[in-house]
Amino acid sequence: MREKRTVQSSLFEQYAEHEIGLELKAMSDWLDQNVDLLDWVAADVKQRNVEKTGRKGLTIESVLRCAILKQYRQLSYDDLVFCLMDSTSCQTFARLSLAWTPKKSTLQSGISAISDVTWEQINQRLLNSAEKAKKERGQMLRIDSTVIESPIHAPTDSTLLWDSVRVLVRLLKRAEALAEGITTIDYRNHQRVAKKRTRAIRYTRGQDKKAPLYRDLIEATRKSLDYVEQASIKLLAVMPFDPLACALWQSQLSYYKPLILNVIDQTERRVFQGEKVPATQKIVSIFEEHTDIIVKGSRDVQYGHKLNLSTGRSGLILDVVIEEGNPADADCFVPMLDRHIDQYGKAPRQTAADGGYASIANLHEAKARAVEDVAFHKKRGLKVEDMAKSPWVYRKLRNFRAGIEAGISLMKRTYGLGRCTWKGLNHFRAYVWSSVVAHNLALFGRLIST
């Protein structure tokens, strides 16, 4: 059974007399003052991979602290294991049991179990503490958006088809192992021809020359898919030695099949029919199918999810919304404002936002919610006297808004918000919120020490 708190890790806490050591101590003190957070984490982690006998495993407290430490220092699981072995400050912060360092698989299993909802609740508790300490009252609000990329390669139709063939052959080999000694799985491995056609498409110029290469690649993908469907029928007709593994195999086929068919369809529509496939109908990865195509202005295309962030005067991130698709900034302004009002129970006195959020309707909605001054970075036909009580206030708010750009840059450079490294949509959301919590907790520790 997994314990909630570490009974005894050390008689004395030892943090290095260094900026990072002092920040870790301040973060640890706040966690000690909010022990009930562990109940939320325990509901997610539960009894995951912990036997009734033998070692009890990581405590809930250690799981949460290791997760925060990982995001705070942007460590891989290998690096996290090393830090827990090598650094006294990290060992003290993580509250590990004496003379034991968990393996990276143990850390990954526990940390990945914490949901985005739990991370958001922890952030909300942190903001409540900041409000009580009079470090962030939510009276000034600034809003901006950014994009966090998914862990995928740059997508093209040819590479997606090549990914599809690789996955299908992998399924065929697993089916072969499941059916060993019971029946035979007949198929031909088309990986080699698929790889050759993918590379040829990459280095070929001219759509007319690429068309026959695409035709061969699609044919190899369809044949591989037919082999897998025949293998599925055979596995269902017999009783494999491991029915649980067979059920997992069937679920993987059910997951990948519609995605692969979608990739084939969008390739045929674009290459052979000359159609411009809408972004909402495209698949850009068969592994991270939730990935959106994001174009901000005239800049490069990015593949991930759009985030709308709001920060306050303290620099703490007050809210994050992971958007579905690529909605216009102007459509996100009022929902972000309403979320802030729900959080603090009242509208901010002053609000500043990027020029993309500017519109007459958004200005009227903000004023209707008792926001005294609203400043958009670009006026877009709006008058200064309608937004703020004076040009001086407008300039001050516009300069205040620029601070969120530095905050976003910090999150991308230091807390990993440039590219998510966790797989799946739920883990994507958890990654974003855990980075926000790590940032806010470190910043709050610095704020209360001043």
Side-chain angles (χ1 to χ4, degrees):
M1 181 176 180
R2 194 189 296 271
E3 294 181 346
K4 187 174 293 185
R5 299 199 70 186
T6 305
V7 178
Q8 180 178 354
S9 56
S10 174
L11 293 175
F12 306 100
E13 289 195 339
Q14 298 178 354
Y15 290 99
E17 290 297 324
H18 182 272
E19 179 184 354
I20 295 175
L22 297 177
E23 284 186 1
L24 286 174
K25 186 178 187 309
M27 294 161 68
S28 178
D29 291 342
W30 183 84
L31 291 171
D32 286 335
Q33 294 168 12
N34 295 270
V35 183
D36 55 324
L37 302 178
L38 301 180
D39 294 330
W40 304 338
V41 179
D44 291 333
V45 179
K46 298 179 182 178
Q47 308 300 321
R48 196 169 182 175
N49 296 337
V50 176
E51 302 294 337
K52 293 182 179 180
T53 58
R55 189 184 292 277
K56 294 182 178 180
L58 277 177
T59 63
I60 300 298
E61 181 181 30
S62 291
V63 170
L64 175 60
R65 286 170 173 265
C66 286
I68 293 172
L69 180 62
K70 181 183 186 302
Q71 294 301 86
Y72 169 63
R73 299 303 300 161
Q74 274 302 288
L75 303 169
S76 66
Y77 284 106
D78 276 325
D79 293 337
L80 180 58
V81 171
F82 176 75
C83 284
L84 293 175
M85 294 175 63
D86 184 67
S87 170
T88 305
S89 295
C90 292
Q91 292 170 1
T92 303
F93 178 80
R95 297 278 172 83
L96 296 177
S97 301
L98 292 172
W100 180 57
T101 303
K103 296 180 179 179
K104 63 179 182 180
S105 58
T106 304
L107 291 168
Q108 191 276 337
S109 176
I111 292 173
S112 64
I114 306 176
S115 68
D116 59 304
V117 176
T118 299
W119 284 116
E120 187 174 359
Q121 289 176 324
I122 294 173
N123 188 63
Q124 183 61 53
R125 173 64 64 82
L126 184 57
L127 294 177
N128 291 341
S129 298
E131 188 176 12
K132 291 178 181 178
K134 298 182 180 179
K135 299 298 181 181
E136 179 54 68
R137 299 181 179 180
Q139 294 182 351
M140 296 184 71
L141 178 70
R142 48 192 169 191
I143 304 172
D144 204 351
S145 64
T146 187
V147 177
I148 176 171
E149 295 181 347
S150 297
I152 65 172
H153 60 72
T156 62
D157 289 329
S158 58
T159 54
L160 289 174
L161 289 169
W162 162 233
D163 287 340
S164 301
V165 173
R166 287 193 300 114
V167 168
L168 292 170
V169 171
R170 191 186 306 156
L171 288 172
L172 287 167
K173 290 180 178 179
R174 288 179 185 171
E176 210 171 25
L178 289 170
E180 187 176 6
I182 303 175
T183 185
T184 58
I185 303 296
D186 301 318
Y187 70 94
R188 289 187 63 184
N189 191 334
H190 292 291
Q191 281 191 99
R192 186 179 178 188
V193 66
K195 184 176 181 179
K196 283 187 173 182
R197 296 300 180 269
T198 301
R199 291 178 63 85
I201 289 170
R202 179 180 179 183
Y203 295 110
T204 300
R205 297 292 176 265
Q207 196 62 35
D208 55 335
K209 295 180 181 179
K210 289 184 178 182
L213 299 174
Y214 270 112
R215 191 170 284 109
D216 290 347
L217 186 52
I218 290 174
E219 184 180 0
T221 308
R222 287 192 182 279
K223 285 182 178 179
S224 299
L225 186 57
D226 290 340
Y227 292 142
V228 173
E229 289 176 339
Q230 292 169 14
S232 175
I233 294 172
K234 285 189 175 183
L235 287 177
L236 290 173
V238 300
M239 182 62 69
F241 294 118
D242 192 344
L244 201 61
C246 184
L248 178 62
W249 187 92
Q250 295 287 355
S251 67
Q252 289 177 339
L253 174 58
S254 301
Y255 170 78
Y256 283 114
K257 182 179 176 180
L259 296 175
I260 292 171
L261 290 174
N262 198 327
V263 169
I264 294 173
D265 176 67
Q266 71 185 30
T267 303
E268 291 178 335
R269 289 166 63 186
R270 187 187 67 83
V271 176
F272 303 123
Q273 300 173 21
E275 181 181 344
K276 289 187 176 181
V277 183
T280 54
Q281 299 177 19
K282 285 183 179 178
I283 293 290
V284 295
S285 173
I286 63 172
F287 306 111
E288 302 292 324
E289 80 289 350
H290 59 85
T291 302
D292 294 323
I293 302 173
I294 310 295
V295 182
K296 292 198 71 179
S298 58
R299 284 170 275 180
D300 294 336
V301 178
Q302 293 177 283
Y303 303 97
H305 288 286
K306 183 175 182 177
L307 307 182
N308 276 293
L309 300 94
S310 64
T311 69
R313 192 170 187 175
S314 63
L316 292 170
I317 296 178
L318 306 183
D319 195 13
V320 175
V321 175
I322 303 168
E323 302 289 354
E324 182 177 346
N326 187 18
D329 286 348
D331 297 333
C332 302
F333 178 77
V334 174
M336 290 295 293
L337 187 58
D338 287 338
R339 285 173 63 94
H340 182 86
I341 295 172
D342 292 339
Q343 181 176 335
Y344 283 92
K346 59 181 179 180
R349 182 170 55 85
Q350 296 175 316
T351 300
D354 190 49
Y357 295 92
S359 72
I360 296 176
N362 284 342
L363 177 60
H364 290 165
E365 290 291 339
K367 293 290 186 178
R369 286 163 174 75
V371 181
E372 295 181 12
D373 301 302
V374 181
F376 297 110
H377 184 65
K378 296 179 181 178
K379 299 175 186 177
R380 295 185 182 273
L382 299 173
K383 296 180 180 180
V384 171
E385 55 267 26
D386 293 334
M387 290 188 282
K389 58 187 65 161
S390 70
W392 182 85
V393 172
Y394 174 78
R395 287 195 302 271
K396 286 292 184 180
L397 283 177
R398 193 173 61 178
N399 293 340
F400 169 69
R401 186 216 65 85
I404 197 173
E405 302 284 359
I408 291 174
S409 176
L410 175 68
M411 291 297 298
K412 287 179 176 288
R413 289 181 289 106
T414 309
Y415 294 95
L417 217 60
R419 181 182 178 89
C420 174
T421 56
W422 296 0
K423 296 181 179 180
L425 180 58
N426 290 335
H427 288 160
F428 188 103
R429 295 178 180 277
Y431 179 90
V432 172
W433 274 109
S434 61
S435 295
V436 170
V437 169
H439 165 270
N440 282 355
L441 191 52
L443 178 56
F444 180 66
R446 291 194 293 269
L447 290 173
I448 60 176
S449 64
T450 56

